[in-house]
């Protein structure tokens, strides 16, 4: 909708009301502010929710892959054949054997429930970026070295170089009954995955050491699988599920963490729906400011009509005026949202410091820091929503202005 020089001049004049129209300017400023805040809130909330999903998926997949092939009874005797079959499946990027068993650990009189993980040398090497102290390369078969999560280290007071005791209740049988198996391991490294539950429980060791500790011989508990498209993991591993039916079960990340991700998706949709009403409120503010502007400029409109201004010109002038208010608020909202997202962690820490409350407790939030990931498509939809509602809000006042009868207005002038 192109404007003529006359139309653009009048529109600019109405965007900057004079001193006698301060109240109209105030209402227009409030409209800009409300649009800005509503757009910023939508951008911030949707980016944080996307960040939650992406960060959780990344951290969970980093330890468990996109899916696991788990044997019935917890022992997979023919795991080499199944591993080869999984690796040859189209769409599978990586597959490796894994042992995972809940046990107990003790150190200095403190006892904690743990999850012992026996990994291959390649999987252990992949954990190197997550190590906060120590050397994870020291985890070699027969070395009796382990790596533990940072929260577990804090809970039991262990540091690199300390010796912790891992207790396996399924010990050896003796004439006096079953004696729990207790083995001492040196803490060679401490890692931080970023998910509280993992950092609190995981103890990583070479697979051979895990097999010795659990007395399971040359068997594994499961095979973890990584695919090229996480959203198609069920479809990609369907042939594997059919091949191992009766011996093992294939569980993907959607199934294993279904409660968490479904709750996250529901909350994401609900928040987007609720915050969209803020944009609607902003549109009503634009409508009210334009209605006031039209009423204040009724005499000017009548004069312009007598001077030859068409109804179409007046319609374009007031639509442009209101739409510009919405556009300015939208751009300002995008800038504000970007700034808040960039400084999100310091903002959370500052609010917590002022209020004295721990706003980001890892025990509750699963993640150690507040994540965020902006989705260009969602941001584009937010912008279209704000601009679309702003445009619709201008139609009624603009139509009223264009329908002004100059004879009725100027009759008594």
């Amino acid at each position: 909708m192109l404007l003529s020089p006359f139309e653009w001049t009048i529109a600019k004049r109405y965007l900057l009301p004079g001193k006698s129209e301060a109240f109209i300017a105030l209402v227009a400023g409030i409209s800009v502010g409300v649009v800005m805040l509503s757009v910023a809130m939508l951008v911030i909330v949707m980016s944080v929710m996307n960040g939650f999903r992406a960060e959780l998926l990344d951290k969970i997949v980093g330890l468990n892959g996109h899916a696991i092939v788990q044997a019935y009874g917890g022992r997979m005797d023919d795991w080499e054949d199944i591993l080869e079959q999984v690796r040859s499946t189209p769409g599978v990027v990586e597959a490796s054997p894994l042992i995972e068993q809940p046990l107990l650990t003790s150190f200095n009189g403190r006892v904690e429930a743990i999850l012992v993980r026996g990994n291959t040398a390649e999987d252990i090497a992949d954990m190197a970026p997550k190590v906060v102290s120590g050397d994870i390369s020291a985890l070699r078969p027969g070395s009796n070295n382990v790596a533990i999560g940072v929260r577990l280290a804090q809970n039991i007071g262990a540091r690199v170089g300390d010796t912790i005791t891992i207790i396996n209740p399924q010990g050896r049988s003796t004439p006096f009954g079953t004696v729990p198996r207790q083995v001492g391991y040196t803490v060679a490294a401490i890692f931080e995955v970023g998910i509280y539950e993992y950092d609190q429980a995981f103890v990583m060791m070479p697979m051979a050491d895990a097999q010795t500790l659990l007395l399971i011989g040359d068997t594994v508990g499961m095979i973890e699988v990584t695919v090229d498209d996480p959203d198609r993991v069920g479809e990609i591993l369907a042939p594997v599920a059919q091949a191992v039916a009766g011996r093992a079960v294939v569980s993907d990340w959607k199934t294993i963490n279904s409660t968490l991700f479904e709750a996250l998706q529901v909350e994401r949709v609900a928040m987007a729906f609720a915050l969209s009403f803020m944009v609607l409120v902003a549109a009503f503010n634009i409508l009210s400011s334009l209605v006031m502007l039209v009423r204040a400029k009724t005499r000017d409109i009548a004069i312009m009509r007598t001077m030859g201004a068409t109804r179409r010109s007046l319609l374009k002038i007031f639509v442009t005026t209101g739409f510009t208010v919405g556009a300015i608020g939208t751009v300002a909202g995008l800038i504000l949202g970007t700034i808040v997202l960039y400084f999100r962690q310091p903002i959370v820490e500052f609010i917590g410091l002022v209020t004295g409350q721990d706003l980001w407790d890892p025990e509750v939030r699963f993640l150690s820091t507040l994540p965020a990931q902006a989705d260009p498509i969602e941001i584009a939809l937010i912008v279209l929503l704000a601009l679309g509602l702003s445009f619709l809000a201008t139609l009624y006042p603009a139509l009223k202005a264009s329908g002004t009868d100059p004879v009725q207005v100027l009759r008594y002038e």
Side-chain angles (χ1 to χ4, degrees), residues 123-371:
D123 290 339
I124 291 175
D126 290 341
M127 287 292 294
K130 298 179 174 64
V131 173
V132 295
S133 63
D135 182 13
I136 202 165
S137 64
L139 272 66
R140 295 183 295 272
S143 64
N144 267 27
N145 289 332
V146 297
I148 66 176
V150 64
R151 304 292 178 184
L152 175 61
Q154 294 172 358
N155 290 343
I156 63 176
R159 296 177 295 179
V160 173
D162 290 337
T163 299
I164 62 174
T165 301
I166 296 181
I167 305 169
N168 180 11
Q170 298 178 351
R172 298 185 181 275
S173 298
T174 68
F176 302 100
T178 301
V179 178
R181 182 175 175 79
Q182 302 185 39
V183 182
Y185 292 92
T186 302
V187 178
I190 297 175
F191 59 85
E192 183 175 14
V193 177
I195 298 180
Y196 186 87
E197 292 184 348
Y198 291 175
D199 293 333
Q200 185 186 30
F202 276 14
V203 173
M204 185 175 295
M205 64 176 62
M207 183 168 294
D209 290 359
Q211 290 171 334
T212 301
L213 172 65
L214 299 173
L215 305 173
I216 58 175
D218 188 23
T219 64
V220 300
M222 62 190 73
I223 294 173
E224 62 175 357
V225 186
T226 304
V227 298
D228 56 8
D229 187 354
D231 293 324
R232 294 180 52 249
V233 62
E235 179 183 343
I236 293 172
L237 295 181
V240 176
Q242 294 177 357
V244 301
R247 295 179 295 164
V249 61
V250 178
S251 302
D252 58 40
W253 64 271
K254 298 178 183 178
T255 304
I256 297 172
N257 305 283
S258 59
T259 303
L260 177 61
F261 283 100
E262 285 177 7
L264 201 59
Q265 180 65 18
V266 170
E267 184 176 0
R268 179 171 171 271
V269 173
M271 291 294 288
F273 179 77
L275 291 176
S276 296
F277 281 96
M278 288 186 64
V279 183
L280 186 61
V281 171
F284 278 115
N285 277 335
I286 294 175
L287 186 149
S288 63
S289 65
L290 270 185
V291 168
M292 293 176 62
L293 181 62
V294 169
R295 290 181 63 87
K297 299 297 183 181
T298 301
R299 185 173 178 275
D300 294 357
I301 294 170
I303 293 173
M304 284 189 288
R305 286 295 310 280
T306 60
M307 295 176 65
T310 64
R311 293 178 182 270
R312 179 180 177 83
S313 293
L314 291 172
L315 182 68
K316 291 163 64 176
I317 288 170
F318 284 94
V319 167
T320 300
T321 302
F323 185 78
T324 302
V325 170
I328 293 173
T330 300
V331 173
L334 291 176
I335 295 173
L336 177 61
T338 302
I339 294 173
V340 172
L341 287 175
Y342 185 80
F343 295 103
R344 62 188 182 278
Q345 197 60 38
I347 290 173
V348 170
E349 294 172 359
F350 174 76
I351 295 175
L353 182 65
V354 171
T355 61
Q357 301 293 323
D358 187 0
L359 300 180
W360 198 260
D361 186 352
E363 296 185 38
V364 179
R365 308 295 182 184
F366 294 98
L367 302 178
S368 301
T369 58
L370 177 64

Side-chain angles (χ1 to χ4, degrees), residues 8-176:
W8 181 239
T9 301
I10 300 300
K12 286 194 297 183
R13 172 67 181 83
Y14 287 168
L15 280 170
L16 300 170
K19 294 182 179 179
S20 61
E21 299 156 343
F23 185 72
I24 297 176
L26 175 63
V27 175
I30 292 174
S31 300
V32 172
V34 175
V35 174
M36 177 185 69
L37 292 176
S38 60
V39 170
M41 285 298 296
L42 270 172
V43 170
I44 293 168
V45 170
M46 299 309 296
S47 297
V48 169
M49 298 301 289
N50 288 335
F52 259 116
R53 185 182 185 277
E55 195 78 5
L56 282 173
L57 180 59
D58 179 65
K59 292 181 181 298
I60 289 171
V61 168
L63 285 177
N64 297 325
H66 293 125
I68 58 171
V69 181
Q70 188 168 16
Y72 291 117
R75 292 191 180 186
M76 188 179 292
D77 297 322
D78 55 345
W79 62 271
E80 293 95 341
D81 297 335
I82 298 176
L83 179 63
E84 187 63 29
Q85 183 177 6
V86 172
R87 285 175 173 172
S88 62
T89 302
V92 173
V93 176
E94 185 181 356
S96 59
L98 173 68
I99 295 173
E100 193 171 280
Q101 184 70 30
L103 297 176
L104 296 173
T105 187
S106 65
F107 178 74
N108 282 345
R110 298 180 181 179
V111 179
E112 289 284 338
I114 61 172
L115 201 60
V116 170
R117 289 174 61 94
N119 291 98
T120 62
E122 293 79 5
D123 290 339
I124 291 175
D126 290 341
M127 287 292 294
K130 298 179 174 64
V131 173
V132 295
S133 63
D135 182 13
I136 202 165
S137 64
L139 272 66
R140 295 183 295 272
S143 64
N144 267 27
N145 289 332
V146 297
I148 66 176
V150 64
R151 304 292 178 184
L152 175 61
Q154 294 172 358
N155 290 343
I156 63 176
R159 296 177 295 179
V160 173
D162 290 337
T163 299
I164 62 174
T165 301
I166 296 181
I167 305 169
N168 180 11
Q170 298 178 351
R172 298 185 181 275
S173 298
T174 68
F176 302 100

